[in-house]
Amino acid sequence: MTNVEYIDYFEKIIANEPENILSLYFVQKLMSDVRFRSFQPMISSELQKKILKMVLPKLKNQFKINRLVDFNPIGVADEEIEILNKESVIDVGTFVKTLDDGKVCKEIENLQIDKVSFYCLRVVYEGKCVYLLRQFSKMKKLRSGLLTHFINDELVEMESDFLGLDEDVDMVLCEDSLVILNHISLERIFNYRDAYKAKTDEAMGAILTQGVLVNIEQFADDCSRDVRIMKRFTNIMSKGRLPLFFDNYDKVEGIVKDLGLDIEFDENGKLIYREKSQLYHIVNLMSDAYFKSLLAERIGVSKTEDSL
C-alpha cells in the first residue's frame, strides 16, 4: 500500500465506524523454534471502537506528514518513515502464523503479563488486513498507595496488574510490506539484530577473501559486539559498497594520510587493525563516507555516517 492508500484506509474506518473489525493479541516471545505465543482476549464492539478512535487519527497523520522510504539500518531522516519487504524479516511470518485460529491461545488465565513482549491490533476492513504492532509496557500496581475505581457507586481497590494500550504504533504490517515507525522496535520485536549480524559476517568474509586487513579475527569480533557498527555494515552490504572499496584500495593509504587517521599499514599495504578506537575510521573508509569539498577542498565525513 502507498501513503495515500494507508491514509484513505484509516480515514474510511474513522468516518464509518464499522462494527467488529478489530482483534487484539498479546504476544510472548519464546526461546524456542516456535518463537511466539499469541493470546486473544474477547473484546466488545464498543471497546474496539474506542481503541480505533484512539490509535487511527495519530497513525493517519503520521502517514500524511511523512513519506515512505526504503529502510536504512543507520537511521531515518525527518519527515520520513521506512518500509521493508516482510520477507526480509524472518520472524514476521512466524508471528503471523501464531494468530491462526488453531494456534492462538484464548485461555487468558494462562497469560503471564510480565512475559508479554508486544501487542498486535489486527484490523480487517474492505478486504484488507492490517496489523498494528506496539511494544508492550506493563503497568504495575503503585509501589505505595492504592489504585481504585468505582463499581456501582462503591470505591474498589484494583488488585491485579494492568494492561496499558496507548495511541502509538511502532510498526504496520500489510500485505508484503512492514512499515517501521520506531527503529528499535524492529530489533526488539522481530530480533532484527540477527539480520545485522548476518550482514556483518558476510562483509567479514569478503574482507578476509580480499586480504586487505591485518588482525581480521579481532576486527570481526569487535564489530559483532557493537550494534552500531553492524548497522553500518548492513548498510554497506545492502548498497554494494564493499566492491568500490576493494577496487579503489590503492587510494586508501593516501586518504588515511590526508585525514591524519590513526591507521598504519604493513609492508604489503594491508590495513593494520589494533583496537576499537579504529573501528569507525575503517568503516568510514569501507563505506566511502569521506569526502572533499569543491571550493575549500576540506575533507570530512558525510552527515549521515557522522550522526552515529
Side-chain angles (χ1 to χ4, degrees):
M1 288 170 66
T2 65
N3 267 49
V4 173
E5 288 173 324
Y6 276 113
I7 293 166
D8 181 64
Y9 183 77
F10 298 141
E11 283 183 341
K12 285 181 178 178
I13 296 174
I14 293 169
N16 298 330
E17 296 188 1
E19 298 277 344
N20 295 316
I21 66 167
L22 178 70
S23 301
L24 171 62
Y25 305 89
F26 293 100
V27 187
Q28 297 176 347
K29 293 176 67 173
L30 307 175
M31 300 298 292
S32 69
D33 292 340
V34 178
R35 306 290 277 180
F36 303 98
R37 178 179 292 126
S38 297
F39 291 80
Q40 182 185 13
M42 291 185 293
I43 180 170
S44 69
S45 178
E46 187 61 30
L47 183 53
Q48 289 180 43
K49 288 183 179 180
K50 286 184 178 180
I51 293 173
L52 290 172
K53 282 183 178 180
M54 175 178 65
V55 171
L56 293 188
K58 180 175 181 178
L59 187 57
K60 180 196 72 173
N61 190 53
Q62 286 177 289
F63 278 92
K64 271 190 172 181
I65 64 176
N66 298 290
R67 64 188 185 94
L68 285 174
V69 298
D70 290 336
F71 175 73
N72 182 338
I74 295 176
V76 61
D78 292 339
E79 299 182 354
E80 291 180 346
I81 49 179
E82 297 169 297
I83 188 166
L84 261 175
N85 187 298
K86 74 174 186 180
E87 298 302 324
S88 65
V89 187
I90 296 173
D91 278 351
V92 168
T94 305
F95 158 65
V96 171
K97 288 178 182 177
T98 68
L99 306 186
D100 293 343
D101 283 339
K103 296 181 179 179
V104 71
C105 301
K106 298 188 177 182
E107 298 78 20
I108 301 303
E109 65 272 14
N110 295 327
L111 173 64
Q112 295 176 275
I113 295 176
D114 60 341
K115 301 293 185 183
V116 174
S117 175
F118 64 98
Y119 64 83
C120 170
L121 304 173
R122 182 169 68 176
V123 182
V124 181
Y125 185 60
E126 291 191 340
K128 289 190 182 295
C129 182
V130 177
Y131 302 86
L132 311 178
L133 308 175
R134 174 70 169 149
Q135 291 182 77
F136 183 70
S137 180
K138 183 166 67 76
M139 299 174 64
K140 283 280 196 179
K141 285 197 302 182
L142 296 175
R143 291 187 178 182
S144 61
L146 301 172
L147 190 64
T148 62
H149 65 152
F150 287 105
I151 296 180
N152 297 327
D153 296 329
E154 180 184 359
L155 188 65
V156 178
E157 179 186 357
M158 296 176 68
E159 296 287 349
S160 27
D161 293 339
F162 316 115
L163 296 171
L165 308 180
D166 62 21
E167 73 276 14
D168 291 322
V169 171
D170 292 324
M171 292 185 285
V172 178
L173 173 63
C174 181
E175 298 171 345
D176 293 329
S177 298
L178 183 67
V179 178
I180 301 151
L181 298 124
N182 179 351
H183 242 241
I184 195 66
S185 66
L186 179 63
E187 297 175 33
R188 291 179 177 170
I189 291 177
F190 288 132
N191 307 301
Y192 203 67
R193 188 173 293 200
D194 295 344
Y196 299 148
K197 179 64 164 60
K199 283 294 184 183
T200 301
D201 289 345
E202 183 183 340
M204 295 304 120
I207 295 166
L208 177 62
T209 299
Q210 291 292 324
V212 296
L213 195 146
V214 176
N215 201 13
I216 179 68
E217 294 83 4
Q218 186 60 50
F219 179 73
D221 187 58
D222 288 345
C223 287
S224 67
R225 295 174 184 273
D226 190 327
V227 68
R228 296 170 300 172
I229 292 292
M230 290 195 292
K231 289 179 180 181
R232 288 285 298 278
F233 271 114
T234 300
N235 196 43
I236 289 170
M237 300 305 289
S238 299
K239 295 182 177 180
R241 288 183 175 176
L242 265 188
L244 177 67
F245 172 73
F246 298 140
D247 292 343
N248 293 275
Y249 186 77
D250 58 314
K251 301 175 184 176
V252 171
E253 191 166 355
I255 295 171
V256 168
K257 289 180 179 177
D258 287 345
L259 292 170
L261 302 180
D262 180 25
I263 296 175
E264 298 173 347
F265 297 80
D266 72 1
E267 64 276 10
N268 297 313
K270 296 181 180 181
L271 287 163
I272 300 173
Y273 178 72
R274 302 188 317 274
E275 58 185 10
K276 292 179 183 178
S277 65
Q278 299 173 301
L279 276 179
Y280 280 93
H281 296 320
I282 294 174
V283 175
N284 282 338
L285 288 167
M286 291 180 174
S287 63
D288 191 31
Y290 293 116
F291 67 89
K292 181 181 287 188
S293 67
L294 293 176
L295 293 178
E297 296 189 344
R298 289 180 294 104
I299 297 175
V301 63
S302 68
K303 184 176 180 181
T304 302
E305 313 290 351
D306 193 44
S307 64
L308 288 177

